[in-house]
Short mmCIF file of all heavy atoms in Angstrom, two decimals:
data_model
loop_
_atom_site.label_atom_id
_atom_site.label_comp_id
_atom_site.label_asym_id
_atom_site.label_seq_id
_atom_site.Cartn_x
_atom_site.Cartn_y
_atom_site.Cartn_z
N MET A 183 98.53 20.68 109.20
CA MET A 183 97.63 19.53 109.02
C MET A 183 97.60 18.71 110.30
O MET A 183 98.64 18.35 110.84
CB MET A 183 98.15 18.67 107.86
CG MET A 183 97.15 17.62 107.42
SD MET A 183 97.58 17.01 105.77
CE MET A 183 96.42 15.66 105.65
N PRO A 184 96.41 18.44 110.81
CA PRO A 184 96.34 17.70 112.08
C PRO A 184 96.82 16.26 111.92
O PRO A 184 96.62 15.64 110.89
CB PRO A 184 94.86 17.75 112.44
CG PRO A 184 94.14 18.12 111.21
CD PRO A 184 95.11 18.80 110.30
N ILE A 185 97.46 15.78 112.96
CA ILE A 185 97.93 14.40 112.96
C ILE A 185 96.84 13.51 113.53
O ILE A 185 96.31 13.79 114.61
CB ILE A 185 99.21 14.27 113.82
CG1 ILE A 185 100.29 15.15 113.24
CG2 ILE A 185 99.65 12.81 113.91
CD1 ILE A 185 101.43 15.41 114.20
N ARG A 186 96.48 12.50 112.80
CA ARG A 186 95.44 11.58 113.27
C ARG A 186 96.04 10.66 114.33
O ARG A 186 96.97 9.91 114.04
CB ARG A 186 94.91 10.78 112.11
CG ARG A 186 93.66 10.01 112.48
CD ARG A 186 93.26 9.10 111.32
NE ARG A 186 92.24 8.18 111.79
CZ ARG A 186 91.01 8.16 111.32
NH1 ARG A 186 90.64 8.98 110.41
NH2 ARG A 186 90.15 7.29 111.80
N PRO A 187 95.53 10.71 115.56
CA PRO A 187 96.08 9.86 116.61
C PRO A 187 95.72 8.40 116.37
O PRO A 187 94.76 8.08 115.67
CB PRO A 187 95.40 10.38 117.89
CG PRO A 187 94.61 11.56 117.49
CD PRO A 187 94.43 11.52 116.01
N ARG A 188 96.52 7.53 117.00
CA ARG A 188 96.22 6.11 116.90
C ARG A 188 95.01 5.78 117.76
O ARG A 188 94.80 6.38 118.79
CB ARG A 188 97.42 5.30 117.40
CG ARG A 188 98.59 5.45 116.48
CD ARG A 188 99.82 4.87 117.11
NE ARG A 188 100.67 4.32 116.07
CZ ARG A 188 100.97 3.04 115.95
NH1 ARG A 188 100.55 2.18 116.83
NH2 ARG A 188 101.72 2.63 114.97
N PRO A 189 94.24 4.80 117.33
CA PRO A 189 93.11 4.36 118.16
C PRO A 189 93.62 3.81 119.48
O PRO A 189 94.73 3.29 119.56
CB PRO A 189 92.47 3.25 117.32
CG PRO A 189 92.96 3.44 115.94
CD PRO A 189 94.32 4.07 116.07
N PHE A 190 92.82 3.95 120.51
CA PHE A 190 93.18 3.43 121.82
C PHE A 190 91.93 2.96 122.53
O PHE A 190 90.82 3.34 122.18
CB PHE A 190 93.90 4.52 122.64
CG PHE A 190 93.05 5.75 122.88
CD1 PHE A 190 92.24 5.85 124.00
CD2 PHE A 190 93.07 6.79 121.96
CE1 PHE A 190 91.45 6.98 124.19
CE2 PHE A 190 92.28 7.92 122.16
CZ PHE A 190 91.47 8.02 123.28
N THR A 191 92.16 2.11 123.51
CA THR A 191 91.05 1.59 124.30
C THR A 191 91.17 2.09 125.73
O THR A 191 92.26 2.03 126.31
CB THR A 191 91.05 0.05 124.28
OG1 THR A 191 90.84 -0.39 122.95
CG2 THR A 191 89.93 -0.51 125.15
N LEU A 192 90.10 2.62 126.27
CA LEU A 192 90.06 2.98 127.68
C LEU A 192 89.28 1.90 128.41
O LEU A 192 88.23 1.46 127.94
CB LEU A 192 89.39 4.34 127.88
CG LEU A 192 90.17 5.56 127.42
CD1 LEU A 192 89.35 6.82 127.68
CD2 LEU A 192 91.50 5.66 128.13
N ALA A 193 89.80 1.48 129.56
CA ALA A 193 89.13 0.44 130.33
C ALA A 193 89.06 0.86 131.79
O ALA A 193 89.97 1.50 132.31
CB ALA A 193 89.88 -0.88 130.20
N CYS A 194 87.95 0.51 132.44
CA CYS A 194 87.75 0.82 133.85
C CYS A 194 88.17 -0.39 134.69
O CYS A 194 87.78 -1.52 134.39
CB CYS A 194 86.29 1.18 134.09
SG CYS A 194 85.91 1.45 135.83
N ARG A 195 88.97 -0.12 135.72
CA ARG A 195 89.41 -1.21 136.60
C ARG A 195 88.29 -1.71 137.49
O ARG A 195 88.31 -2.83 137.97
CB ARG A 195 90.52 -0.73 137.51
CG ARG A 195 91.79 -0.38 136.81
CD ARG A 195 92.65 0.46 137.76
NE ARG A 195 93.58 1.27 137.01
CZ ARG A 195 94.89 1.07 137.04
NH1 ARG A 195 95.39 0.15 137.80
NH2 ARG A 195 95.68 1.83 136.34
N LEU A 196 87.33 -0.86 137.77
CA LEU A 196 86.31 -1.20 138.76
C LEU A 196 85.16 -2.02 138.18
O LEU A 196 84.74 -3.01 138.76
CB LEU A 196 85.77 0.07 139.42
CG LEU A 196 86.80 0.91 140.17
CD1 LEU A 196 86.15 2.15 140.75
CD2 LEU A 196 87.45 0.08 141.27
N CYS A 197 84.63 -1.61 137.03
CA CYS A 197 83.44 -2.29 136.52
C CYS A 197 83.68 -2.99 135.19
O CYS A 197 82.76 -3.52 134.60
CB CYS A 197 82.28 -1.29 136.38
SG CYS A 197 82.48 -0.12 135.02
N ASN A 198 84.94 -2.98 134.72
CA ASN A 198 85.30 -3.68 133.47
C ASN A 198 84.70 -3.06 132.22
O ASN A 198 84.71 -3.67 131.17
CB ASN A 198 84.92 -5.17 133.52
CG ASN A 198 85.87 -5.94 134.39
OD1 ASN A 198 87.06 -5.62 134.47
ND2 ASN A 198 85.35 -6.94 135.07
N TRP A 199 84.22 -1.83 132.33
CA TRP A 199 83.78 -1.11 131.13
C TRP A 199 85.00 -0.85 130.24
O TRP A 199 86.09 -0.58 130.74
CB TRP A 199 83.14 0.22 131.54
CG TRP A 199 82.89 1.16 130.39
CD1 TRP A 199 81.79 1.21 129.62
CD2 TRP A 199 83.78 2.18 129.91
NE1 TRP A 199 81.93 2.21 128.67
CE2 TRP A 199 83.15 2.81 128.83
CE3 TRP A 199 85.06 2.62 130.28
CZ2 TRP A 199 83.72 3.85 128.11
CZ3 TRP A 199 85.64 3.66 129.57
CH2 TRP A 199 84.98 4.26 128.50
N SER A 200 84.82 -0.96 128.96
CA SER A 200 85.90 -0.59 128.06
C SER A 200 85.32 -0.08 126.76
O SER A 200 84.21 -0.46 126.36
CB SER A 200 86.85 -1.77 127.81
OG SER A 200 86.23 -2.71 126.98
N HIS A 201 86.06 0.80 126.13
CA HIS A 201 85.59 1.37 124.86
C HIS A 201 86.80 1.74 124.02
O HIS A 201 87.79 2.26 124.54
CB HIS A 201 84.72 2.60 125.13
CG HIS A 201 84.08 3.15 123.90
ND1 HIS A 201 82.92 2.62 123.36
CD2 HIS A 201 84.44 4.17 123.08
CE1 HIS A 201 82.61 3.30 122.27
NE2 HIS A 201 83.51 4.25 122.08
N THR A 202 86.72 1.47 122.74
CA THR A 202 87.81 1.81 121.83
C THR A 202 87.48 3.12 121.12
O THR A 202 86.39 3.26 120.57
CB THR A 202 88.03 0.70 120.80
OG1 THR A 202 88.35 -0.49 121.50
CG2 THR A 202 89.16 1.06 119.84
N PHE A 203 88.39 4.04 121.20
CA PHE A 203 88.21 5.34 120.56
C PHE A 203 89.14 5.44 119.35
O PHE A 203 90.28 5.00 119.41
CB PHE A 203 88.55 6.47 121.53
CG PHE A 203 87.61 6.55 122.70
CD1 PHE A 203 87.90 5.87 123.87
CD2 PHE A 203 86.45 7.29 122.63
CE1 PHE A 203 87.03 5.94 124.96
CE2 PHE A 203 85.58 7.36 123.71
CZ PHE A 203 85.87 6.68 124.86
N ALA A 204 88.61 5.98 118.27
CA ALA A 204 89.42 6.23 117.09
C ALA A 204 89.27 7.70 116.72
O ALA A 204 88.45 8.04 115.86
CB ALA A 204 88.99 5.32 115.94
N PRO A 205 90.00 8.57 117.41
CA PRO A 205 89.82 10.01 117.19
C PRO A 205 90.12 10.41 115.75
O PRO A 205 91.04 9.87 115.13
CB PRO A 205 90.83 10.64 118.15
CG PRO A 205 91.21 9.56 119.09
CD PRO A 205 91.06 8.27 118.35
N ARG A 206 89.36 11.35 115.26
CA ARG A 206 89.54 11.82 113.88
C ARG A 206 90.61 12.89 113.78
O ARG A 206 91.15 13.13 112.74
CB ARG A 206 88.22 12.32 113.31
CG ARG A 206 87.39 11.19 112.74
CD ARG A 206 85.93 11.51 112.84
NE ARG A 206 85.51 11.34 114.23
CZ ARG A 206 84.25 11.42 114.62
NH1 ARG A 206 83.32 11.70 113.76
NH2 ARG A 206 83.93 11.24 115.88
N SER A 207 90.89 13.56 114.90
CA SER A 207 91.95 14.55 114.89
C SER A 207 92.57 14.59 116.27
O SER A 207 92.11 13.90 117.18
CB SER A 207 91.42 15.93 114.50
OG SER A 207 90.75 16.50 115.60
N ASP A 208 93.61 15.42 116.44
CA ASP A 208 94.23 15.47 117.76
C ASP A 208 93.49 16.43 118.69
O ASP A 208 93.89 16.63 119.82
CB ASP A 208 95.72 15.80 117.65
CG ASP A 208 95.97 17.07 116.85
OD1 ASP A 208 94.99 17.64 116.33
OD2 ASP A 208 97.13 17.47 116.75
N ALA A 209 92.41 17.03 118.20
CA ALA A 209 91.56 17.83 119.09
C ALA A 209 90.47 16.91 119.65
O ALA A 209 89.43 16.72 119.03
CB ALA A 209 90.94 18.98 118.31
N PHE A 210 90.76 16.32 120.80
CA PHE A 210 89.85 15.33 121.37
C PHE A 210 88.58 15.98 121.87
O PHE A 210 88.60 17.05 122.47
CB PHE A 210 90.51 14.63 122.56
CG PHE A 210 91.50 13.58 122.15
CD1 PHE A 210 92.02 13.56 120.88
CD2 PHE A 210 91.91 12.63 123.06
CE1 PHE A 210 92.94 12.60 120.51
CE2 PHE A 210 92.82 11.66 122.71
CZ PHE A 210 93.33 11.65 121.43
N VAL A 211 87.46 15.34 121.62
CA VAL A 211 86.18 15.78 122.18
C VAL A 211 85.81 14.77 123.26
O VAL A 211 85.66 13.58 122.99
CB VAL A 211 85.09 15.82 121.09
CG1 VAL A 211 83.76 16.24 121.70
CG2 VAL A 211 85.50 16.74 119.97
N VAL A 212 85.68 15.26 124.51
CA VAL A 212 85.33 14.36 125.61
C VAL A 212 83.93 13.81 125.38
O VAL A 212 83.01 14.54 125.05
CB VAL A 212 85.40 15.11 126.96
CG1 VAL A 212 84.87 14.22 128.09
CG2 VAL A 212 86.82 15.55 127.25
N GLY A 213 83.77 12.51 125.53
CA GLY A 213 82.49 11.86 125.29
C GLY A 213 82.41 11.29 123.89
O GLY A 213 81.63 10.37 123.64
N LEU A 214 83.20 11.82 122.98
CA LEU A 214 83.18 11.32 121.60
C LEU A 214 84.53 10.67 121.28
O LEU A 214 84.58 9.54 120.80
CB LEU A 214 82.90 12.48 120.64
CG LEU A 214 82.70 12.09 119.19
CD1 LEU A 214 81.42 11.27 119.02
CD2 LEU A 214 82.63 13.33 118.31
N ASP A 215 85.61 11.37 121.55
CA ASP A 215 86.94 10.86 121.23
C ASP A 215 87.68 10.33 122.45
O ASP A 215 88.69 9.65 122.32
CB ASP A 215 87.78 11.96 120.57
CG ASP A 215 87.18 12.41 119.26
OD1 ASP A 215 86.64 11.55 118.54
OD2 ASP A 215 87.25 13.59 118.96
N THR A 216 87.22 10.68 123.63
CA THR A 216 87.84 10.18 124.85
C THR A 216 86.87 10.36 126.01
O THR A 216 85.83 11.00 125.86
CB THR A 216 89.18 10.92 125.14
OG1 THR A 216 89.83 10.29 126.23
CG2 THR A 216 88.94 12.39 125.45
N GLU A 217 87.20 9.78 127.14
CA GLU A 217 86.39 9.95 128.35
C GLU A 217 87.34 10.30 129.48
O GLU A 217 88.47 9.82 129.53
CB GLU A 217 85.65 8.65 128.71
CG GLU A 217 84.55 8.26 127.75
CD GLU A 217 83.27 9.06 127.94
OE1 GLU A 217 83.22 9.92 128.83
OE2 GLU A 217 82.33 8.81 127.17
N THR A 218 86.89 11.13 130.40
CA THR A 218 87.70 11.43 131.57
C THR A 218 87.27 10.57 132.75
O THR A 218 88.05 10.33 133.67
CB THR A 218 87.58 12.91 131.95
OG1 THR A 218 86.20 13.23 132.07
CG2 THR A 218 88.20 13.80 130.89
N HIS A 219 86.02 10.10 132.71
CA HIS A 219 85.50 9.25 133.78
C HIS A 219 84.78 8.07 133.14
O HIS A 219 84.28 8.17 132.02
CB HIS A 219 84.49 10.01 134.65
CG HIS A 219 85.11 11.07 135.50
ND1 HIS A 219 85.55 12.27 134.99
CD2 HIS A 219 85.40 11.09 136.82
CE1 HIS A 219 86.07 13.00 135.97
NE2 HIS A 219 85.99 12.30 137.09
N CYS A 220 84.69 6.99 133.90
CA CYS A 220 83.94 5.83 133.43
C CYS A 220 82.46 6.21 133.33
O CYS A 220 81.87 6.66 134.30
CB CYS A 220 84.13 4.68 134.40
SG CYS A 220 83.06 3.28 134.04
N PRO A 221 81.85 6.06 132.15
CA PRO A 221 80.44 6.42 132.01
C PRO A 221 79.51 5.47 132.76
O PRO A 221 78.34 5.78 132.96
CB PRO A 221 80.20 6.35 130.50
CG PRO A 221 81.30 5.56 129.94
CD PRO A 221 82.45 5.60 130.90
N ARG A 222 80.02 4.30 133.13
CA ARG A 222 79.16 3.32 133.81
C ARG A 222 79.16 3.53 135.32
O ARG A 222 78.11 3.59 135.94
CB ARG A 222 79.61 1.91 133.47
CG ARG A 222 78.61 0.87 133.97
CD ARG A 222 79.11 -0.53 133.75
NE ARG A 222 79.05 -0.93 132.36
CZ ARG A 222 79.58 -2.07 131.89
NH1 ARG A 222 80.24 -2.86 132.70
NH2 ARG A 222 79.47 -2.36 130.63
N CYS A 223 80.36 3.66 135.93
CA CYS A 223 80.40 3.74 137.40
C CYS A 223 80.99 5.07 137.89
O CYS A 223 80.99 5.32 139.08
CB CYS A 223 81.19 2.55 137.97
SG CYS A 223 82.96 2.67 137.70
N GLY A 224 81.49 5.90 136.99
CA GLY A 224 81.97 7.22 137.38
C GLY A 224 83.39 7.24 137.91
O GLY A 224 83.87 8.28 138.37
N ALA A 225 84.10 6.11 137.84
CA ALA A 225 85.48 6.06 138.32
C ALA A 225 86.37 6.96 137.48
O ALA A 225 86.19 7.08 136.27
CB ALA A 225 85.99 4.63 138.29
N ALA A 226 87.32 7.62 138.14
CA ALA A 226 88.20 8.55 137.43
C ALA A 226 89.43 7.85 136.87
O ALA A 226 90.11 8.41 136.02
CB ALA A 226 88.62 9.68 138.37
N GLU A 227 89.71 6.66 137.35
CA GLU A 227 90.93 5.97 136.90
C GLU A 227 90.63 5.05 135.74
O GLU A 227 90.15 3.94 135.91
CB GLU A 227 91.52 5.16 138.06
CG GLU A 227 92.43 5.97 138.92
CD GLU A 227 93.22 5.09 139.86
OE1 GLU A 227 93.85 4.13 139.39
OE2 GLU A 227 93.18 5.36 141.05
N LEU A 228 90.89 5.54 134.54
CA LEU A 228 90.71 4.72 133.36
C LEU A 228 92.09 4.31 132.83
O LEU A 228 93.01 5.11 132.81
CB LEU A 228 89.94 5.48 132.29
CG LEU A 228 88.50 5.87 132.68
CD1 LEU A 228 87.86 6.68 131.57
CD2 LEU A 228 87.67 4.64 132.97
N ARG A 229 92.19 3.06 132.45
CA ARG A 229 93.45 2.54 131.95
C ARG A 229 93.44 2.60 130.43
O ARG A 229 92.48 2.16 129.79
CB ARG A 229 93.60 1.10 132.44
CG ARG A 229 94.97 0.53 132.29
CD ARG A 229 95.05 -0.82 132.95
NE ARG A 229 93.74 -1.50 132.99
CZ ARG A 229 93.56 -2.72 133.40
NH1 ARG A 229 94.58 -3.41 133.83
NH2 ARG A 229 92.37 -3.28 133.41
N MET A 230 94.51 3.11 129.85
CA MET A 230 94.60 3.18 128.40
C MET A 230 95.44 2.02 127.90
O MET A 230 96.46 1.70 128.47
CB MET A 230 95.24 4.51 127.98
CG MET A 230 95.18 4.75 126.48
SD MET A 230 96.03 6.25 125.98
CE MET A 230 94.84 7.48 126.46
N ARG A 231 94.96 1.37 126.87
CA ARG A 231 95.75 0.28 126.30
C ARG A 231 95.56 0.24 124.79
O ARG A 231 94.66 0.88 124.24
CB ARG A 231 95.37 -1.06 126.93
CG ARG A 231 93.91 -1.43 126.79
CD ARG A 231 93.69 -2.81 127.41
NE ARG A 231 92.31 -3.06 127.76
CZ ARG A 231 91.39 -3.52 126.90
NH1 ARG A 231 91.71 -3.73 125.65
NH2 ARG A 231 90.16 -3.74 127.31
N GLN A 232 96.43 -0.50 124.16
CA GLN A 232 96.31 -0.68 122.72
C GLN A 232 95.07 -1.53 122.44
O GLN A 232 94.85 -2.53 123.11
CB GLN A 232 97.54 -1.41 122.17
CG GLN A 232 98.82 -0.61 122.28
CD GLN A 232 98.79 0.59 121.38
OE1 GLN A 232 98.46 0.49 120.20
NE2 GLN A 232 99.13 1.75 121.92
N PRO A 233 94.26 -1.12 121.47
CA PRO A 233 93.07 -1.91 121.18
C PRO A 233 93.43 -3.24 120.52
O PRO A 233 94.40 -3.32 119.76
CB PRO A 233 92.28 -1.02 120.21
CG PRO A 233 93.27 -0.07 119.65
CD PRO A 233 94.37 0.07 120.65
N SER A 234 92.66 -4.26 120.81
CA SER A 234 92.84 -5.52 120.12
C SER A 234 92.21 -5.40 118.73
O SER A 234 91.47 -4.45 118.45
CB SER A 234 92.17 -6.66 120.89
OG SER A 234 90.78 -6.45 120.88
N LEU A 235 92.46 -6.35 117.88
CA LEU A 235 91.91 -6.31 116.52
C LEU A 235 90.38 -6.32 116.58
O LEU A 235 89.71 -5.61 115.83
CB LEU A 235 92.44 -7.50 115.73
CG LEU A 235 92.15 -7.45 114.23
CD1 LEU A 235 92.77 -6.22 113.60
CD2 LEU A 235 92.67 -8.71 113.56
N ILE A 236 89.84 -7.10 117.50
CA ILE A 236 88.37 -7.17 117.65
C ILE A 236 87.82 -5.78 118.03
O ILE A 236 86.84 -5.32 117.46
CB ILE A 236 88.00 -8.17 118.76
CG1 ILE A 236 88.56 -9.56 118.41
CG2 ILE A 236 86.49 -8.22 118.98
CD1 ILE A 236 87.76 -10.32 117.39
N ASN A 237 88.47 -5.13 118.99
CA ASN A 237 88.04 -3.79 119.41
C ASN A 237 88.08 -2.83 118.23
O ASN A 237 87.16 -2.04 118.03
CB ASN A 237 88.94 -3.24 120.50
CG ASN A 237 88.78 -3.97 121.82
OD1 ASN A 237 89.73 -4.12 122.57
ND2 ASN A 237 87.58 -4.44 122.12
N LEU A 238 89.16 -2.91 117.46
CA LEU A 238 89.32 -2.01 116.33
C LEU A 238 88.22 -2.22 115.30
O LEU A 238 87.62 -1.26 114.81
CB LEU A 238 90.67 -2.26 115.66
CG LEU A 238 91.82 -1.38 116.13
CD1 LEU A 238 93.08 -1.76 115.37
CD2 LEU A 238 91.50 0.08 115.90
N LEU A 239 87.93 -3.48 115.00
CA LEU A 239 86.92 -3.77 113.99
C LEU A 239 85.54 -3.32 114.46
O LEU A 239 84.79 -2.71 113.70
CB LEU A 239 86.91 -5.27 113.68
CG LEU A 239 88.09 -5.75 112.84
CD1 LEU A 239 88.04 -7.26 112.69
CD2 LEU A 239 88.09 -5.08 111.48
N SER A 240 85.20 -3.59 115.72
CA SER A 240 83.88 -3.20 116.20
C SER A 240 83.76 -1.69 116.26
O SER A 240 82.71 -1.12 115.98
CB SER A 240 83.57 -3.84 117.55
OG SER A 240 84.34 -3.23 118.55
N SER A 241 84.86 -1.02 116.60
CA SER A 241 84.85 0.44 116.61
C SER A 241 84.62 0.99 115.21
O SER A 241 83.86 1.93 115.01
CB SER A 241 86.17 0.94 117.18
OG SER A 241 86.37 2.28 116.85
N LYS A 242 85.26 0.38 114.23
CA LYS A 242 85.10 0.83 112.84
C LYS A 242 83.67 0.56 112.36
O LYS A 242 83.07 1.36 111.67
CB LYS A 242 86.09 0.09 111.95
CG LYS A 242 87.48 0.66 112.00
CD LYS A 242 88.01 0.81 110.60
CE LYS A 242 89.38 1.47 110.47
NZ LYS A 242 90.12 1.76 111.61
N LEU A 243 83.13 -0.59 112.75
CA LEU A 243 81.76 -0.93 112.35
C LEU A 243 80.76 0.06 112.92
O LEU A 243 79.86 0.51 112.23
CB LEU A 243 81.42 -2.34 112.83
CG LEU A 243 81.91 -3.47 111.94
CD1 LEU A 243 81.56 -4.82 112.56
CD2 LEU A 243 81.31 -3.37 110.55
N LYS A 244 80.94 0.41 114.19
CA LYS A 244 80.03 1.37 114.81
C LYS A 244 80.06 2.70 114.07
O LYS A 244 79.04 3.34 113.87
CB LYS A 244 80.41 1.59 116.28
CG LYS A 244 79.83 0.54 117.20
CD LYS A 244 80.22 0.83 118.63
CE LYS A 244 80.37 -0.47 119.41
NZ LYS A 244 81.24 -0.34 120.55
N THR A 245 81.27 3.11 113.64
CA THR A 245 81.40 4.36 112.90
C THR A 245 80.65 4.29 111.58
O THR A 245 80.03 5.25 111.14
CB THR A 245 82.89 4.66 112.63
OG1 THR A 245 83.62 4.43 113.82
CG2 THR A 245 83.09 6.09 112.18
N LEU A 246 80.68 3.12 110.95
CA LEU A 246 80.02 2.97 109.66
C LEU A 246 78.50 2.93 109.83
O LEU A 246 77.77 3.47 109.01
CB LEU A 246 80.49 1.68 108.98
CG LEU A 246 81.92 1.70 108.44
CD1 LEU A 246 82.28 0.33 107.90
CD2 LEU A 246 82.06 2.74 107.34
N ILE A 247 78.04 2.29 110.91
CA ILE A 247 76.61 2.10 111.10
C ILE A 247 75.93 3.38 111.58
O ILE A 247 74.88 3.76 111.11
CB ILE A 247 76.35 0.94 112.09
CG1 ILE A 247 76.80 -0.38 111.44
CG2 ILE A 247 74.89 0.88 112.48
CD1 ILE A 247 76.89 -1.52 112.40
N SER A 248 76.59 4.08 112.54
CA SER A 248 75.96 5.26 113.12
C SER A 248 75.86 6.38 112.09
O SER A 248 76.77 6.55 111.28
CB SER A 248 76.73 5.71 114.34
OG SER A 248 78.03 6.10 113.98
N PRO A 249 74.78 7.13 112.11
CA PRO A 249 74.57 8.19 111.12
C PRO A 249 75.53 9.36 111.29
O PRO A 249 76.03 9.59 112.36
CB PRO A 249 73.14 8.65 111.35
CG PRO A 249 72.78 8.20 112.72
CD PRO A 249 73.68 7.03 113.06
ZN1 ZN B 82 83.61 1.78 135.70
#
């Protein structure tokens, strides 16, 4: 049985882009469950941090709203 990973937030040091990911399984899909590069400026150095409650809630809302 796959272990559901904890949600995490990736943030870009250069352009302040950030996104909270809540992967559904431990098989990450790049672009959906994680990013390797900043989608805004293309920087390769993304910082991972624990999501704040606000990030978590908005991430959950997006999941509910999107088809
Ligand atoms: Zn960036």
Side-chain angles (χ1 to χ4, degrees):
M183 191 163 171
I185 299 164
R186 191 186 168 117
R188 292 169 147 244
F190 60 90
T191 297
L192 289 179
C194 175
R195 293 164 204 248
L196 299 179
C197 72
N198 285 327
W199 169 88
S200 72
H201 186 81
T202 300
F203 294 92
R206 275 151 285 187
S207 77
D208 54 356
F210 282 18
V211 179
V212 173
L214 187 66
D215 297 323
T216 187
E217 291 282 0
T218 53
H219 290 75
C220 172
R222 190 185 286 172
C223 73
E227 274 192 52
L228 297 177
R229 194 173 27 174
M230 189 184 283
R231 58 177 159 85
Q232 294 293 311
S234 66
L235 191 60
I236 301 282
N237 290 147
L238 266 180
L239 286 176
S240 72
S241 162
K242 280 227 176 7
L243 278 177
K244 276 182 212 156
T245 315
L246 288 176
I247 292 167
S248 63

